[in-house]
Amino acid sequence: MLPGPTSEEWIAALRRAVEVQRKVFAGHVGIEARTQYEGVGEGGDNTLVIDRLCEDDGIGRDEVAVFYRTNAQSRVLEDTLVRFDVPYQVIGGTKFYERAEIRDAIAYLSVLANPADTVSLSRILNSPRRGIGNTSEGRVLAWANTMGITPLEAIEGVERVRGLGTAAIKAIGRFAELIVSLRERAERRGPVAELLESTLSESGYIEALEAERTVEAEGRIENLQELVGMAGEFDVSSGRRRVVLARGATGLGPEGYDLTISSGAVKITAESAAGLFYGIQTIRQLLPSSVEHPAALSRALRIPAGQIRDGPRFAWRGAMLDVSRHFLSAGDVRGFIDLLALYKMNRLHLHLSDDQGWRIEIKSWPSLTAIGGLGEVGGGQGGFYTQDEFREIVSYAAARFITIVPEIDMPGHTNAALASYGELSCDGIARAPYTGIRVGFSALCVERDTVYRFVSDVVREIGALTPAPWIHIGGDEVEKISHDAYRAFIERVQGIVQSHGKQMIGWGEISPANLSPATIVQHWKRDSSFVHAARGGKVILSPSKKLYLDMKYDSATVLGLKWAALIDVRDSYDWEPGVYLEGVAESSVLGIEAPLWSETLEKRSDFEYMAFPRLAVVAELGWSAAANRTWENFRLRLAAHGPRLSALGVNFYRSPQIPWLQ
Ligand code: NGO
């Protein structure tokens, strides 16, 4: 069912288009249409390749990416489209022509040019890939259609996986597509069902996740399969080519993986789903950066053969976003999470409250967001996450093996709360909203019982939004309270956090309080973290001179602050977490985390500019063994990430220390 011309006028326009095409190609027009999984077809010289018309490819329903095989052809096409007044944009060397019209025009053209192509074209235009999401009859038929198998075979496939959740079925659908594509390229050997079955059973992965049966697990399958799909395009010599995911002992720890790439298969073995996920991320990094752009996905991709046995050095590999000083939408946070996943980071700490804004809905204290959520630094609009939005962020992150760590900063950094509820101050008077960037001036009234009721309500509500065991209570930069009163406050809050079944995390300042060894201290400047290490507690390292992503790169950097240091890429790389703090041995270091404070950052691209490429440094410090890293080697590897970050649309700082590849 091709979308036909919709009016007389259209038919005329299409005819003209056909004529132009015929002329420019001297009467020879071939059309080839393909989806991501159909491999790279061998069109003739004048083949027009219509690529990926699926909305779930991120291109959008009415957009078309058109590639020509040679530059000359691409110029011809461009001329043609310009003549027909079709706007286009160039992304990563690929031209995108928007509008449903051009899609229809090309479809129509294809019918005239080569009726045999109608079938494959309609497969794409009807985009059955969108439909592989549930077991309803229509979907199964669509699935069968995509795979080129009979509806009965498709139903059998679904039967076999009946009982799995929607996402799992979707994932299997994708797997199936992948297999079909590989099989097509191997000239249709063996029945589809057999291949599907053997790949699934060898993986053991679906079953393992099925055992978990959680929403997160389903999200993970989906994400994993998406990425496997990307790897599915690898171009190796003919034969049965497969991606195999296996759960099994590797001796590489719970997050480690063993990746073997040979001409016959790509195999990842890991003890946990997280390990498989990281193996996939490595495949992703081994593939050319063009895979990061939807338009480039169906090119022939080559992946080097070899074996990688890999596992992380630290359990905590984190970043922090300060969404209080300037608010970031949930969508922007998800975008950031995607980037963390690429670099195998596993914690995202969200600094949800500060003097300038309260960013999370608390149902028992509604004014926190109704009043405290309104502003931000500089007087902008602010904002907050509803609990539902926050839950979505949590599960989006979990699907990428990233744990969200929520922070409510107290007893200082609380002006937004004090502006919302006067009873949290000792004088009972609500504070005015604050839009500046000073610190240290606000404090909860630590003598008031109301304050502890408030803390308990907040911890309970936030704790319920995330399955993670941690609540970060800030505790930094308190100038308005005596040391004794501060310590007593921290101890009481620790009890509250524990009473809600969570472990407390706090900034370095909390160390002198009588902390449980299960509490975690986050070092950021000279402090007494060693006291906590001595009592058997764990420390997260966020040294401001090394890991503060809000510090300027050099004196010419416009964004950011510089109170701790100027931190170019090498400064953040050249240090050793295992011996950084006296009295905090490597065994006490839980891991590292890079905070991105947002006093000067207004929009997502500002956040990205400060985070990248330094976040790649953090990833390496968190993951690689000290013996395996040197600056000279790192800077060359990082250089290759320039095109990848560009393809992902990340606004990153092109440090002159790195010989960036174009
Ligand atoms: C400090 C302060 C934050 C600032 C940040 C700016 C900590 C833990 N408290 O770090 O409020 O935003 O510096 O670099």
Side-chain angles (χ1 to χ4, degrees):
M1 275 165 295
L2 280 171
T6 46
S7 67
E8 288 301 312
E9 210 175 294
W10 248 107
I11 294 174
L14 290 166
R15 280 196 199 294
R16 275 203 316 279
V18 172
E19 272 155 35
V20 174
Q21 293 276 5
R22 279 198 192 292
K23 256 183 221 147
V24 292
F25 291 123
H28 180 100
V29 181
I31 302 283
E32 176 198 306
R34 59 174 197 245
T35 62
Q36 179 185 345
Y37 299 110
E38 284 180 333
V40 178
E42 295 304 330
D45 268 348
N46 284 330
T47 298
L48 168 64
V49 179
I50 304 170
D51 219 338
R52 295 162 51 82
L53 288 130
C54 309
E55 60 182 357
D56 52 356
D57 289 332
I59 294 182
R61 195 199 296 263
D62 292 341
E63 292 168 308
V64 175
V66 184
F67 303 92
Y68 266 45
R69 292 205 179 277
T70 66
N71 282 339
Q73 287 164 347
S74 120
R75 270 198 301 280
V76 166
L77 177 68
E78 209 169 310
D79 287 342
T80 311
L81 294 175
V82 166
R83 225 173 288 184
F84 282 92
D85 193 26
V86 177
Y88 65 86
Q89 41 173 323
V90 179
I91 303 175
T94 298
K95 294 174 182 61
F96 283 84
Y97 298 90
E98 294 183 33
R99 291 197 187 170
E101 287 89 17
I102 191 64
R103 176 185 68 177
D104 291 354
I106 291 168
Y108 190 64
L109 182 63
S110 82
V111 179
L112 296 184
N114 182 359
D117 282 318
T118 321
V119 179
S120 65
L121 197 65
S122 67
R123 255 157 69 181
I124 297 177
L125 290 173
N126 293 328
S127 191
R129 286 187 54 217
R130 281 182 225 146
I132 302 165
N134 62 43
T135 52
S136 74
E137 200 184 347
R139 304 292 191 194
V140 172
L141 290 179
W143 186 19
N145 187 30
T146 331
M147 296 172 62
I149 56 177
T150 66
L152 193 65
E153 278 180 294
I155 289 164
E156 275 174 12
V158 171
E159 287 275 297
R160 219 165 267 142
V161 296
R162 210 213 286 278
L164 298 186
T166 309
I169 289 169
K170 190 166 164 183
I172 289 164
R174 287 192 176 156
F175 232 140
E177 281 184 84
L178 167 64
I179 291 158
V180 168
S181 116
L182 296 176
R183 197 187 131 208
E184 267 170 11
R185 286 156 65 187
E187 286 163 15
R188 296 197 162 270
R189 260 186 243 150
V192 172
E194 225 174 74
L195 260 176
L196 171 61
E197 201 175 23
S198 67
T199 304
L200 284 177
S201 63
E202 272 175 48
S203 86
Y205 180 65
I206 305 286
E207 288 82 345
L209 284 178
E210 161 61 2
E212 293 179 29
R213 264 214 163 272
T214 59
V215 176
E216 286 78 16
E218 294 199 346
R220 280 170 196 164
I221 300 178
E222 198 177 337
N223 181 256
L224 202 54
Q225 300 308 328
E226 236 163 57
L227 294 167
V228 170
M230 285 168 43
E233 290 284 337
F234 63 92
D235 184 1
V236 292
S237 62
S238 63
R240 264 165 65 122
R241 287 156 289 185
R242 286 181 306 192
V243 177
V244 179
L245 304 172
R247 292 270 281 241
T250 58
L252 295 163
E255 291 182 301
Y257 63 90
D258 184 320
L259 168 64
T260 313
I261 302 166
S262 65
S263 61
V266 168
K267 181 169 186 186
I268 306 173
T269 310
E271 286 167 22
S272 71
L276 293 173
F277 183 80
Y278 295 135
I280 298 278
Q281 300 310 316
T282 294
I283 291 179
R284 187 174 165 192
Q285 293 191 18
L286 289 171
L287 288 166
S289 58
S290 59
V291 298
E292 304 297 354
H293 198 287
L297 268 177
S298 56
R299 305 290 174 85
L301 301 175
R302 284 170 195 279
I303 184 165
Q307 190 190 22
I308 296 176
R309 288 177 52 75
D310 196 14
R313 175 178 179 186
F314 291 113
W316 191 286
R317 304 181 302 279
M320 187 207 85
L321 285 176
D322 170 8
V323 292
S324 176
R325 270 53 176 273
H326 280 103
F327 182 63
L328 269 187
S329 70
D332 285 346
V333 172
R334 284 196 291 269
F336 195 73
I337 288 171
D338 285 337
L339 295 170
L340 294 180
L342 168 63
Y343 289 109
K344 307 190 183 92
M345 312 266 292
N346 65 359
R347 304 280 183 266
L348 176 61
H349 167 180
L350 291 176
H351 184 74
L352 293 167
S353 72
D354 212 302
D355 292 321
Q356 298 84 347
W358 185 283
R359 307 299 181 204
I360 173 97
E361 176 189 23
I362 301 295
K363 295 197 195 282
S364 52
W365 296 75
S367 298
L368 288 170
T369 45
I371 297 174
L374 293 183
E376 61 180 16
V377 168
Q381 222 195 349
F384 66 93
Y385 312 118
T386 63
Q387 294 202 350
D388 282 344
E389 281 171 330
F390 192 76
R391 264 191 221 99
E392 270 169 36
I393 293 176
V394 167
S395 64
Y396 188 86
R400 285 151 187 79
F401 297 90
I402 291 169
T403 304
I404 298 291
V405 180
E407 176 188 350
I408 298 296
D409 206 346
M410 60 183 92
H413 290 276
T414 39
N415 192 76
L418 302 173
S420 313
Y421 290 98
E423 62 261 47
L424 300 176
S425 294
C426 288
D427 61 11
I429 298 169
R431 296 290 181 267
Y434 182 67
T435 59
I437 63 169
R438 274 189 304 117
V439 296
F441 61 91
S442 57
L444 297 172
C445 184
V446 296
E447 290 104 53
R448 282 195 176 212
D449 282 343
T450 322
V451 162
Y452 297 95
R453 187 164 54 78
F454 161 80
V455 171
S456 179
D457 287 341
V458 168
V459 169
R460 174 175 43 77
E461 288 199 33
I462 293 182
L465 298 177
T466 152
W470 310 289
I471 301 276
H472 199 306
I473 59 90
D476 56 324
E477 298 181 314
V478 180
E479 294 168 12
K480 301 282 173 213
I481 301 173
S482 73
H483 288 307
D484 286 349
Y486 171 79
R487 274 203 298 273
F489 172 83
I490 294 296
E491 285 158 17
R492 194 158 163 191
V493 169
Q494 175 178 260
I496 293 172
V497 171
Q498 288 168 343
S499 76
H500 291 294
K502 302 279 173 170
Q503 274 164 255
M504 185 171 88
I505 307 179
W507 295 105
E509 286 92 327
I510 68 169
S511 301
N514 184 15
L515 301 179
S516 136
T519 291
I520 298 165
V521 166
Q522 184 166 11
H523 161 84
W524 65 283
K525 62 167 188 189
R526 270 174 72 97
D527 60 26
S528 40
S529 302
F530 63 91
V531 174
H532 191 55
R535 60 166 84 94
K538 296 279 186 206
V539 176
I540 297 167
L541 296 181
S542 301
S544 47
K545 286 183 188 318
K546 298 290 176 192
L547 291 188
Y548 264 34
L549 297 173
D550 60 319
M551 291 299 124
K552 291 175 187 290
Y553 291 96
D554 63 21
S555 55
T557 313
V558 174
L559 298 171
L561 305 174
K562 58 181 182 192
W563 65 264
L566 295 172
I567 308 179
D568 210 328
V569 183
R570 183 167 191 167
D571 305 303
S572 63
Y573 191 86
D574 265 348
W575 65 288
E576 188 24 72
V579 296
Y580 185 74
L581 279 188
E582 230 182 289
V584 181
E586 171 141 4
S587 55
S588 301
V589 176
L590 186 57
I592 60 172
E593 184 180 299
L596 183 44
W597 301 98
S598 65
E599 282 93 335
T600 65
L601 314 178
E602 290 176 15
K603 47 190 191 300
R604 176 172 171 167
S605 59
D606 297 345
F607 282 76
E608 285 177 356
Y609 186 78
M610 300 310 279
F612 292 94
R614 288 182 292 198
L615 215 55
V617 171
V618 180
E620 171 133 327
L621 287 169
W623 187 282
S624 300
N628 287 346
R629 58 182 197 91
T630 66
W631 165 250
E632 277 314 318
N633 182 288
F634 177 75
R635 70 190 272 276
L636 298 180
R637 284 181 288 119
L638 181 58
H641 282 255
R644 191 171 298 273
L645 292 171
S646 295
L648 286 165
V650 176
N651 179 30
F652 67 100
Y653 168 62
R654 291 177 179 275
S655 165
Q657 298 180 331
I658 309 300
W660 297 106
L661 297 184
Q662 285 317 310

